[in-house]
Amino acid sequence: MNPLKGTYLSRRLSSFYLSVSARHSRCNSTSATPPADGHLPSVASSEILRTKREAGLRTPGIKWADEDSSAPTRIIVGGRETRKMNTYQAIRDAMSIALAKDESTVVFGEDVAFGGVFRCTMGLAEEFGKERVFNTPLTEQGIAGFGIGLALMGHTAIAEIQFADYILPAFDQIVNEAAKIRYRSGGGYNAGGLTIRTPTMSVGHGALYHSQSPEGFFMGASGLKVVIPRSPIQAKGLLLSSIRDPNPVIFMEPKILYRSAVEQVPIDDYELPLGEAEVLIPGSDLTLLTWGTPVYHCETALHLLQSPPPELQPVIPASLRSANIELIDLRSILPWDVKTVAESVSRTGRLVIVHEAGMTAGVGAEISAEIQKRCFLKLNAPVRRVTGWDLPVGLQYEKFNIPDAIRILDAVVETLAY
Amino acid sequence: MAQVFGNENDTSGKGRQMPVHFGSPEHHFHTISSPLATQIPQAAGVAYALRRMPNRRSQNIAACYFGEGAASEGDFHAGFMLASTIPSPVLYIARNNGFAISTPSSEQYNGDGIASRGPGYGIDTIRVDGNDVLAVLTAVREARRRCLEQGRAVLVESMSYRVGHHSTSDDSFAYRARSEVEDKKRIDNPITRFRLFMESQGWWDADAETELKARLKADVMKAFKKADSLKRPELGQLFTDVYGGEEPWNIKEQRQELVGLLKKYGQIWEPWRKELGKFRNTGQDLLNPQGR
């Protein structure tokens, strides 16, 4: 299996692309040698990933489909199995379960039938037939509108927009139609059966139109939910929840994690809760809040803070190295879990928010405003945002545009020392 | 080549865009955008502007290229509607090569290709064998003539076949037979067909072919190596060209924030030091704007 090298299919005149598979390998080979620039080292070695069966089965908040949700939580996980999966395999697994359990489910989008450009629908057309898993013409507004129509008829529609950068032609359908139809029809109709999956965030060389994080654009669209998973287990559980949620959901998949994040994923049908953040590392001195790819940059930054390499020691005050940082994965952008975040900041008195999208009117702006209202007297430092600059994502400049571990580390140090 | 490598000589996009996203105001070539079909309605506007410019009216037209996949986007229909309703001398050249990444044209439309849509919008249309160089030339000449004469849009649909993969990392044999591609390459190849025509006229022969191939290959490799050896543009270009006129405070402050971070970590943090080394002047244009 080839690691993600950073492949992009520029839809127009592309000449380079992530090697997501033999098909997308730069040399069209099936070589297993990782590329020189490799995985994100922080993902490969992340302690956040659940790489053991036991850990996978004990994922917090997991709700097994075959267990009565009103029954007490079982501690015993015997009899359940996991399988090693990367994120695209876990997403495929979730869609396979949805297709198998609900005959009304269909999966569609551009290049979906042969497996999708990121391989998330691989083999589904063969397994469930072309009536249920099919290619669409190249029209994002059409894809969204078609999915809304299916959902209005009570069917389950799982639509793929090939890159989140290309979701904007569908903005009208999503914001004016999917999000508002329940309200507009007095509760008579809803597009709850619609889930729109789309790859998001940067990988290092996607340039302007294969790197964006447009979650913030949807944040004011009440009626809609927006979800961003960080790992295979999360992706499967959150996607199944999204598919079954009574509201339309935009499900954004960080594309660099399709291959690089690998976990022992429970093979059974399970869900993870929407609208709930997850505390990944508990702490008492500062709350570090993020979602998607930067979760791993944050983890790296915390390692650097705790034990800085010699070259960073002069700029990391020794007194701050033992600080206990609470790392939270927001997971749901809309609605976002204000309870967990406010509770955390009330304890820590400091908040640093990290996202790849630009700062101005980004998701961090909304969270900062609400947290400053709720936690004003508890704050020991201004809420700090570490974001992409307010710029398009220029190809050659990406490493100095999208936040990395050093920028997060710097903001954490400054906020601790404020 | 400089654009493809995004190096310091890339005047068309300053290293900001993916490869093969050219542009040149000097050559009246509007910079390519990755989103599909967005420039189809823009071309109608460009053409309308040409009509309104006394020195270019009845002299120049707008030409807009797109594939049969892009023609499925809403912008295609919006653009055609405008170009026809608000008469604009734009020549739409649809290159129908049978595939949009993996999706064959049979799954892109159920009608008769793109050409059949032209008359529906009241646009003069011609379909041409895109693998016949002379036929394409003749059709485009006539289309341009009509475009100028009538001041209205014309559509040319050029039928071809994508023998290459979609991109360097696409292996198209995952969705089509190798033999189909090989047959097309051999039998219905526009270059082969034109070469045979030239040979039949006595204008070309195997020796000329060999010499030309060797010369072009050497030229390309030379340009390739040169482009590959150059640095990226200056790092400061990260922040330029966002706005014209006065730069807003947020961009100014964010540039200053990056300068502060580079001063602090640019030399001591190896990944940043290494990255800075790839830029022309290694970031000094930002760090030390006076002392250059």
Side-chain angles (χ1 to χ4, degrees):
Chain A
M1 208 61 85
N2 279 348
L4 182 108
K5 182 156 52 181
T7 107
Y8 291 128
L9 212 52
S10 163
R11 300 192 330 171
R12 193 143 185 172
L13 296 161
S14 80
S15 54
F16 74 111
Y17 186 109
L18 309 190
S19 70
V20 259
S21 67
R23 174 181 121 76
H24 287 117
S25 155
R26 203 168 290 196
C27 51
N28 296 329
S29 78
T30 50
S31 154
T33 316
D37 50 348
H39 297 293
L40 275 178
S42 52
V43 178
S45 56
S46 173
E47 287 164 20
I48 290 166
L49 294 170
R50 295 174 176 264
T51 53
K52 299 276 190 310
R53 171 182 170 273
E54 191 77 358
L57 292 171
R58 292 182 191 281
T59 296
I62 199 162
K63 195 180 108 200
W64 303 102
D66 55 8
E67 279 184 8
D68 181 359
S69 56
S70 60
T73 316
R74 295 199 319 171
I75 310 291
I76 303 155
V77 292
R80 297 205 187 270
E81 288 308 321
T82 60
R83 202 166 59 227
K84 192 175 166 186
M85 294 185 207
N86 61 27
T87 310
Y88 82 70
Q89 291 163 335
I91 287 164
R92 187 213 178 272
D93 194 41
M95 285 192 281
S96 173
I97 289 171
L99 284 158
K101 288 206 167 173
D102 170 4
E103 182 58 32
S104 81
T105 304
V106 292
V107 172
F108 55 94
E110 295 157 15
D111 300 294
V112 157
F114 96 109
V117 299
F118 288 105
R119 315 317 282 146
C120 294
T121 52
M122 202 152 56
L124 291 178
E126 289 79 358
E127 192 177 339
F128 295 97
K130 289 206 111 181
E131 187 185 308
R132 300 185 62 199
V133 181
F134 51 89
N135 285 341
T136 62
L138 258 162
T139 167
E140 293 77 16
Q141 64 194 94
I143 292 166
F146 189 87
I148 292 168
L150 282 162
L152 293 175
M153 298 301 288
H155 289 226
T156 300
I158 307 174
E160 177 177 309
I161 299 291
Q162 202 162 74
F163 287 89
D165 309 67
Y166 300 128
I167 205 166
L168 298 180
F171 201 68
D172 190 35
Q173 286 287 350
I174 294 168
V175 173
N176 272 337
E177 297 297 323
K180 295 181 174 66
I181 180 66
R182 187 189 302 273
Y183 193 81
R184 181 175 93 204
S185 65
Y189 283 100
N190 70 79
L194 173 64
T195 303
I196 298 178
R197 297 178 36 249
T198 189
T200 190
M201 302 193 177
S202 67
V203 302
H205 51 257
L208 276 72
Y209 303 110
H210 298 82
S211 306
Q212 294 177 79
S213 300
E215 65 268 19
F217 292 155
F218 296 98
M219 209 175 181
S222 284
L224 203 65
K225 292 190 178 181
V226 180
V227 177
I228 303 182
R230 68 167 185 275
S231 75
I233 293 174
Q234 296 291 313
K236 179 176 172 180
L238 290 171
L239 181 54
L240 280 166
S241 290
S242 299
I243 291 167
R244 293 160 181 166
D245 191 87
N247 302 285
V249 179
I250 309 290
F251 192 82
M252 296 183 165
E253 302 161 0
K255 51 188 171 283
I256 203 164
L257 304 179
Y258 275 134
R259 283 181 168 274
S260 59
V262 177
E263 289 185 314
Q264 284 291 338
V265 179
I267 57 172
D268 290 339
D269 182 353
Y270 68 91
E271 294 179 15
L272 289 168
L274 304 188
E276 289 184 24
E278 184 182 350
V279 177
L280 301 180
I281 302 170
S284 52
D285 298 324
L286 182 148
T287 303
L288 185 55
L289 176 66
T290 190
W291 50 92
T293 309
V295 164
Y296 302 95
H297 302 324
C298 287
E299 188 192 17
T300 306
L302 297 188
H303 282 289
L304 291 174
L305 174 69
Q306 205 170 39
S307 40
E311 63 272 25
L312 289 181
Q313 283 175 8
V315 289
I316 312 295
S319 60
L320 301 179
R321 293 177 198 169
S322 55
N324 290 312
I325 312 293
E326 181 148 301
L327 176 59
I328 300 181
D329 175 6
L330 191 63
R331 300 197 290 188
S332 282
I333 307 303
L334 182 68
W336 65 280
D337 186 353
V338 68
K339 193 167 155 243
T340 297
V341 179
E343 185 280 322
S344 173
V345 178
S346 295
R347 275 188 290 107
T348 64
R350 293 180 169 88
L351 175 61
V352 174
I353 305 166
V354 182
H355 60 65
E356 289 199 3
M359 182 190 76
T360 299
V363 172
E366 178 59 34
I367 295 172
S368 306
E370 192 59 29
I371 291 301
Q372 287 184 96
K373 186 189 96 181
R374 292 181 188 234
C375 308
F376 184 68
L377 294 175
K378 300 280 175 61
L379 284 172
N380 298 319
V383 175
R384 177 74 182 268
R385 288 175 283 167
V386 184
T387 69
W389 310 124
D390 289 332
L391 306 169
V393 186
L395 179 72
Q396 299 286 45
Y397 310 89
E398 189 176 316
K399 283 198 171 67
F400 292 118
N401 182 354
I402 303 294
D404 62 1
I406 279 291
R407 277 182 57 193
I408 297 165
L409 173 68
D410 188 72
V412 165
V413 166
E414 284 197 352
T415 304
L416 284 169
Y418 185 84
Chain B
M1 201 62 91
Q3 194 284 324
V4 170
F5 281 86
N7 67 31
E8 57 190 302
N9 288 348
D10 171 21
T11 51
S12 70
K14 301 181 183 168
R16 291 171 185 149
Q17 289 227 81
M18 290 178 87
V20 204
H21 283 53
F22 307 115
S24 168
E26 187 193 340
H27 298 94
H28 307 279
F29 190 105
H30 288 248
T31 305
I32 292 172
S33 174
S34 304
L36 290 172
T38 48
Q39 289 170 310
I40 296 175
Q42 291 171 17
V46 166
Y48 195 70
L50 288 173
R51 249 174 86 109
R52 300 199 61 238
M53 294 159 80
N55 59 333
R56 298 190 72 179
R57 188 186 179 125
S58 304
Q59 305 286 321
N60 293 136
I61 62 163
C64 175
Y65 293 80
F66 53 90
E68 86 286 351
S72 295
E73 293 279 4
D75 275 352
F76 166 88
H77 300 277
F80 268 50
M81 189 69 76
L82 276 159
S84 110
T85 308
I86 304 166
S88 309
V90 52
L91 175 54
Y92 287 119
I93 301 180
R95 293 179 294 191
N96 189 336
N97 68 10
F99 289 94
I101 307 186
S102 77
T103 305
S105 57
S106 59
E107 293 178 26
Q108 203 65 246
Y109 48 73
N110 191 39
D112 183 10
I114 312 308
S116 65
R117 298 175 199 173
Y121 285 110
I123 288 176
D124 286 358
T125 300
I126 184 168
R127 174 178 283 154
V128 63
D129 176 357
N131 294 339
D132 180 340
V133 173
L134 294 173
V136 172
L137 181 65
T138 309
V140 171
R141 266 197 189 133
E142 172 61 13
R144 181 178 185 278
R145 190 190 65 77
R146 281 187 183 226
C147 210
L148 276 177
E149 191 178 287
Q150 303 173 357
R152 308 186 75 97
V154 177
L155 167 64
V156 175
E157 184 181 20
S158 173
M159 308 304 287
S160 188
Y161 183 89
R162 196 190 79 206
V163 293
H165 304 298
H166 170 78
S167 70
T168 47
S169 14
D170 172 26
D171 174 10
S172 66
F173 302 131
Y175 49 82
R176 60 183 185 178
R178 186 184 288 269
S179 58
E180 174 187 322
V181 179
E182 291 306 321
D183 282 355
K184 284 280 181 185
K185 257 190 195 167
R186 201 175 61 249
I187 300 163
D188 193 12
N189 181 324
I191 297 170
T192 310
R193 282 172 62 179
F194 194 62
R195 190 182 71 226
L196 289 172
F197 168 76
M198 300 239 301
E199 285 175 1
S200 74
Q201 300 294 312
W203 300 339
W204 197 249
D205 56 31
D207 289 347
E209 177 89 3
T210 310
E211 188 277 327
L212 181 73
K213 272 187 178 167
R215 182 159 52 81
L216 291 180
K217 192 175 177 187
D219 287 352
V220 168
M221 286 318 294
K222 197 176 147 196
F224 184 99
K225 280 180 184 151
K226 188 190 165 199
D228 196 24
S229 70
L230 292 173
K231 296 272 190 197
R232 294 176 183 177
E234 290 189 317
L235 181 56
Q237 300 284 15
L238 168 60
F239 290 94
T240 59
D241 301 322
V242 184
Y243 285 91
E246 194 185 341
E247 187 174 62
W249 63 269
N250 57 323
I251 311 277
K252 278 200 185 95
E253 287 190 6
Q254 291 176 13
R255 180 193 286 106
Q256 278 319 110
E257 190 178 335
L258 179 61
V259 168
L261 287 162
L262 289 174
K263 283 185 175 153
K264 196 165 169 187
Y265 300 102
Q267 290 311 311
I268 60 171
W269 183 240
E270 180 59 18
W272 278 25
R273 206 171 61 82
K274 215 175 114 198
E275 187 72 3
L276 280 172
K278 296 176 185 172
F279 291 88
R280 184 178 179 186
N281 296 325
T282 64
Q284 285 305 310
D285 55 303
L286 276 181
L287 290 164
N288 193 11
Q290 267 78 49
R292 291 163 66 189

